[in-house]
Amino acid sequence: MATVLTKELLQETVETIKELYQEDNIPWICGYSGGKDSSAVVQLVWMALQQLPPERRSKTVHVISTDTLVESPVVALWASQSLQKMKNAAEQENLPIVPHRLTPQIQNTFWVNLIGRGYPAPRVNFRWCTDRLKIDASNQFIKNILAAESEAILVLGSRKAESASRRRVMESYEEKRYRAHLSPNGSYPNTYVFTPIENWEDSMVWQFLMQNSNPWGHSNKDLLAMYRGASADNECPLVVESGTPSCGGSRMGCWVCTMVTEDKSLSAMIQNDEEKSWMLPLLDFRNYIAGYKQKSELTQNEIDRGRRDFRRMTGGLTWHRGRLVHGPYTKEVREDFLRRLLKLQVFIQKNAPEEVRGTELITMDELRYIRKIWLNDKHEFDDTLPVIYKEVTGRDFDDSSIVKNKYYGSDEWNLLADVCKELYPDHKLMLELESSLLDVEAKNSAISSRRNVLKNLEAEIKHAYFKDEDDAEDMLRMRRKRQGLPDDTPDAGEDGQDTDEPINTSPSSTEEEGC
C-alpha cells in the first residue's frame, strides 16, 4: 500500500467525491472531531464542492461535531473556533456546508451521571460514557435528517490502517456495498457510509494537510502542533517510508477519561509545553476520581469500591465471589467530587490563558439537573448543592426550576441526623431511611392523588432495610444458604467479573457499550 500521496491519487479522490455527490439528492452528514482524519475528509469535500459550478451544488452537506462537554479545554476551543470559521467561510463562498455543534442531552452528560446519579467512573466492564456522550447525540441528529429526507449518506474519516479490527469491520461492510463506495450503515436502515480516505496511511493524511491549506482558515500547522504536543516524545514526523514513527496514535479525548490507567496525551501536552502547565490540576482531578496514583496502600479498585454504596442503584443486592458488589457513589463522595470540580473550574478561570478562561468544566444546566436528582430521586432535602456552589465560587446559585420540599430543609436534616445518631448509633442507614420516608410523605401531601404513596414508601423501606453492609451480607448469606448456593457462586446473570470493578449499577441493568 502506498505511503505517499501523489497528485494523481489526490485528484482521483476529489473526483470520486464530486461524482458521488452529484449522483443523487441524498443529503450528506460529515463527522468532524477536529482531528486529522475528519479534518482531511471535510477539507476534501470542501475542495470537491469548490470545483463544481454553483448549480451543481444541489444538496446540503451537514458537518456534525459532538462536544462531550468534557473535552480537553484546548481541544474544545480548537473545535468550536473551527466550526465558526467553517460556517463563515461556507456562507462567503456560497457552499452548501452547514456545521452543527452537538452536545449530549442534559440527562446524559458525564457529570450528571457521575456526580448526580453516582455512576462509578467508567471502566472496561461498565462503559456507560460513549453512548451517552457521543453516539446518542449523533444518532439523534441522523434520525432527524432521516425523518425529513428518508435517506442519508455518512461521510467519515475511517481508515483501514487505524487498526486490524477497523480493517476487518470496514472490509466486511465493503462486501455488502449496494453501489460503488457506499457501504450499509449497521445502525440505521436507509443510511450509507462513504469513507473517501479509507485506504490512506497516517503519512498520507498529514502530507495532504500540510500541502493543502485549510479552506475555512483554520491552520493545519496548528493542528499538527497540537498532535505533536500530545505525543510523548514531542515528535510528529511526516512518514515517507515504512517504519518511520508517526503521531497518528495520539488520542485527544475526554480529559476525565478513566478507561486508561494513564492519560498519555494530556500528560504529554503538559510535559511538552510549559504554557499548558495550568492543565496539570485537570490530570490530578482525573486521577482522583478514578482512584489512580493516590497516596494509599489500597489498589485503585479498592479505593473506588470504598467510595460506593453496597447496594445497587435500585437498592437491590448483588452477590459475587463471596461479597456484595458495590453500586453508586455515596452522598459524601458525590459532594466531595462536586466541591473539587468547582474549585478546579475556579482555578482554571483565574489561571488559564485568556482564550480558555471562560471554560465551564460543569455547566449551570448540569448543576441544576444534579440538584434536581439529589432532591427528588435521592431525597436529600438538606439541599447541599447551592451551599457548596456558594462556598466555592462566592456566588449565589441561580435556580428557579426547583420546587423544594416546603416542610424540610437543612436544619431539619441536621436535627434528624443528630436524633438518628443518638437513638440508633448502630444503624448506618437510619438517616437515609427516615429522610426518604419524610420526603416522600411531604411531597405527596401537596398533590391530590396519593395512590402511589404506599408503594413509594415501601420502596424506600426496602432500599434502607439493613443496618449496614455487614447486616446486608448476613441476610444475603442466609438466603443463599437456603437456596443451596455456595459463597463463591455469583448471582444469576453475573458474568464472572471481578467484584472490585463496578458491574453495572444503572437502574436498567442492561449492558452499556462504548468509551
Side-chain angles (χ1 to χ4, degrees), residues 34-242:
K36 69 181 193 310
D37 295 332
S38 61
S39 295
V41 166
V42 176
Q43 191 164 323
L44 285 165
V45 171
W46 194 292
M47 293 169 60
L49 293 181
Q50 283 178 323
Q51 295 179 19
L52 292 175
E55 63 271 14
R56 301 299 297 171
R57 303 167 188 166
S58 58
K59 60 187 182 184
T60 303
V61 176
H62 301 279
V63 178
I64 60 173
S65 178
T66 303
D67 182 354
T68 63
L69 302 180
V70 282
E71 306 288 340
S72 160
V74 172
V75 176
L77 178 65
W78 169 270
S80 63
Q81 289 179 339
S82 181
L83 289 175
Q84 186 59 51
K85 290 180 180 179
M86 190 185 300
K87 178 179 182 294
N88 296 339
E91 291 174 352
Q92 291 173 4
E93 296 188 36
N94 196 28
L95 295 176
I97 296 176
V98 181
H100 305 266
R101 176 181 174 268
L102 310 179
T103 56
Q105 294 180 306
I106 188 67
Q107 68 268 23
N108 287 337
T109 69
F110 187 84
W111 299 123
V112 164
N113 281 289
L114 186 123
I115 294 179
R117 297 187 174 97
Y119 279 21
R123 305 284 183 76
V124 173
N125 63 346
F126 186 47
R127 308 173 72 170
W128 54 263
C129 49
T130 298
D131 275 359
R132 288 176 169 86
L133 303 187
K134 285 190 174 184
I135 297 175
D136 286 351
S138 300
N139 285 352
Q140 187 57 54
F141 184 89
I142 294 170
K143 286 180 181 179
N144 293 339
I145 294 295
L146 289 174
E149 304 289 345
S150 299
E151 293 181 292
I153 293 175
L154 309 182
V155 187
L156 306 178
S158 302
R159 294 182 299 107
K160 297 176 185 176
E162 290 181 80
S163 67
S165 59
R166 177 61 60 87
R167 174 182 293 275
R168 287 193 297 270
V169 170
M170 293 180 70
E171 289 179 347
S172 69
Y173 278 112
E174 274 184 33
E175 299 174 357
K176 304 173 185 177
R177 284 181 174 174
Y178 87 109
R179 78 175 198 239
H181 306 294
L182 291 184
S183 301
N185 179 12
S187 300
Y188 289 104
N190 298 330
T191 58
Y192 318 101
V193 178
F194 173 38
T195 49
I197 61 171
E198 60 186 17
N199 294 315
W200 287 23
E201 299 284 341
D202 281 346
S203 59
M204 299 165 72
V205 177
W206 284 119
Q207 182 186 344
F208 168 72
L209 292 173
M210 292 302 102
Q211 293 180 355
N212 297 271
S213 60
N214 186 294
W216 58 90
H218 214 45
S219 172
N220 288 338
K221 291 184 178 179
D222 288 347
L223 177 63
L224 176 64
M226 190 162 64
Y227 267 83
R228 179 184 290 121
S231 301
D233 54 5
N234 201 22
E235 294 290 336
C236 197
L238 296 181
V239 184
V240 294
E241 59 184 31
S242 179

Side-chain angles (χ1 to χ4, degrees), residues 364-380:
M364 288 300 296
D365 285 341
E366 288 178 288
L367 288 168
R368 295 185 185 104
Y369 202 89
I370 289 170
R371 185 188 182 202
K372 180 180 176 182
I373 291 173
W374 288 5
L375 284 172
N376 296 339
D377 298 347
K378 297 187 179 296
H379 305 292
E380 295 166 357

Side-chain angles (χ1 to χ4, degrees), residues 282-501:
L282 291 174
L283 195 61
D284 292 339
F285 181 73
R286 174 260 180 192
N287 290 337
Y288 179 77
I289 63 174
Y292 295 133
K293 298 183 177 180
Q294 303 302 302
K295 295 179 179 179
S296 172
E297 295 181 356
L298 300 176
T299 66
Q300 179 264 331
N301 282 335
E302 290 169 338
I303 290 173
D304 193 62
R305 175 184 168 84
R307 294 169 169 172
R308 306 195 325 258
D309 199 315
F310 64 86
R311 299 159 295 173
R312 304 291 287 270
M313 191 74 74
T314 55
L317 303 177
T318 297
W319 190 259
H320 189 77
R321 294 186 180 175
R323 61 177 179 175
L324 293 170
V325 174
H326 282 201
Y329 292 123
T330 64
K331 181 179 189 292
E332 292 73 19
V333 171
R334 288 183 276 111
E335 291 172 347
D336 174 56
F337 284 171
L338 176 62
R339 184 175 285 105
R340 289 172 181 267
L341 178 61
L342 289 172
K343 287 181 178 179
L344 178 56
Q345 178 168 283
V346 169
F347 171 85
I348 287 179
Q349 291 176 346
K350 288 182 179 179
N351 297 283
E354 189 66 34
E355 62 270 18
V356 292
R357 285 193 179 180
T359 296
E360 284 187 315
L361 299 182
I362 182 169
T363 66
M364 288 300 296
D365 285 341
E366 288 178 288
L367 288 168
R368 295 185 185 104
Y369 202 89
I370 289 170
R371 185 188 182 202
K372 180 180 176 182
I373 291 173
W374 288 5
L375 284 172
N376 296 339
D377 298 347
K378 297 187 179 296
H379 305 292
E380 295 166 357
F381 57 75
D382 55 335
D383 197 16
T384 57
L385 191 146
V387 177
I388 294 172
Y389 184 84
K390 177 70 177 289
E391 170 192 314
V392 175
T393 68
R395 302 189 299 271
D396 290 331
F397 186 70
D398 181 20
D399 184 7
S400 59
S401 64
I402 292 292
V403 178
K404 293 179 61 177
N405 186 322
K406 66 179 181 179
Y407 300 105
Y408 309 121
S410 59
D411 290 342
E412 288 76 16
W413 180 280
N414 293 333
L415 177 61
L416 183 63
D418 291 340
V419 170
C420 289
K421 185 176 181 179
E422 179 180 350
L423 298 181
Y424 306 99
D426 297 330
H427 290 252
K428 305 300 182 185
L429 301 183
M430 184 58 71
L431 173 60
E432 178 184 329
L433 173 62
E434 297 298 336
S435 61
S436 297
L437 295 178
L438 286 171
D439 193 52
V440 169
E441 174 60 25
K443 287 175 178 174
N444 276 272
S445 67
I447 59 178
S448 57
S449 175
R450 305 184 66 193
R451 61 183 178 182
N452 289 324
V453 64
L454 292 179
K455 179 180 178 181
N456 294 336
L457 290 172
E458 182 180 4
E460 296 305 327
I461 292 172
K462 288 181 178 179
H463 199 166
Y465 174 79
F466 320 100
K467 286 184 179 180
D468 51 24
E469 183 171 359
D470 290 339
D471 185 37
E473 281 197 358
D474 290 342
M475 190 214 70
L476 199 55
R477 286 179 190 275
M478 292 176 60
R479 181 191 302 170
R480 292 170 60 82
K481 186 176 181 180
R482 290 196 301 268
Q483 296 172 342
L485 297 174
D487 269 1
D488 59 351
T489 302
D491 283 343
E494 300 302 344
D495 56 5
Q497 301 168 107
D498 188 347
T499 184
D500 282 337
E501 294 250 356

